[in-house]
Amino acid sequence: MRIDIVTIFPEYFGVLDVSLLGRAREDGILDVQVHDLRAFTHDRHRTVDDKPYGGGAGMVMKPEPWGEALDAILDLDATAGEVDARLPPRDAPLVIFPSPAGEVFTQAMARELSTAGHLVFGCGRYEGIDQRVFEYAGSRASVRLVSLGDYVLNGGEVAVMAMIEAIGRLIPGVIGNPESLVEESHEDGLLEYPSYTKPAEWRGYEVPPVLMGGNHGAIATWRRDAQLERTRLVRPDLLPPE
Ligand code: JCH
């Protein structure tokens, strides 16, 4: 999978080199490129923002640098298929803008996006990006506005980091044990069961005896019950209606 990120804080994404995803990048499974939006400005001050039309607090990101950045990234994509006519055409790129006004990011969306060939993430700052950028991007690619949740961040960078981590670990070869992916929280619509390791007793707290008894049927039942009880208490919205 190819991932392009456009941001005014490219250094934010340095951690991708050392995290879980660093290995996948070295192994050639993931190709992540970070682009500095200011590289697509032409004025002395490398301006990316301006006052909002109609007035109001804060600043809005200017469309011109975004247009040039998207052109540079998407033009490369258009020529990739022509390099070797025997190869199937590349997957259409998907451009994702984190936004408090977007559809909410879920595990189901992460799974869907993990099958994409090319994702482009546009990180806004200030009060957001001139609306026409989304319309232009939509004329050249599929576009989705995506929210990490119902709270306001200062920009798209942290949301993109979270999305790349959730998507990246679903790509075969990025995580060691594929079973740990289906078993864990949200893949089956329930919260995960509690986990324990040695020692069997720690500071007076004990491991539930059923987990140390070796009865795998009893363990599976205990874990399922624990999942259901936790979900009922903390996230009843996740349970199917009666
Ligand atoms: C963003 C902002 C609109 C502040 C600028 C770009 C995403 N789930 C989620 N929360 N917040 C974001 C997000 C994504 C991109 C940008 N900001 C700051 C944007 C505002 O209007 C109320 C206020 C926030």
Side-chain angles (χ1 to χ4, degrees), residues 59 61 97-102 122-129 146-157 159:
M59 301 289 269
M61 292 191 111
F97 292 100
S99 165
C123 301
R125 278 271 152 181
Y126 312 104
E127 301 300 303
I129 306 171
V146 178
S147 168
L148 208 58
D150 291 337
Y151 39 82
V152 181
L153 304 170
N154 277 331
E157 283 80 6

Side-chain angles (χ1 to χ4, degrees), residues 207-230:
V207 174
V210 62
L211 298 179
M212 298 185 295
N215 181 339
H216 298 293
I219 291 169
T221 300
W222 183 89
R223 285 178 168 168
R224 196 70 186 171
D225 288 348
Q227 281 191 287
L228 286 165
E229 180 64 359
R230 238 187 195 182

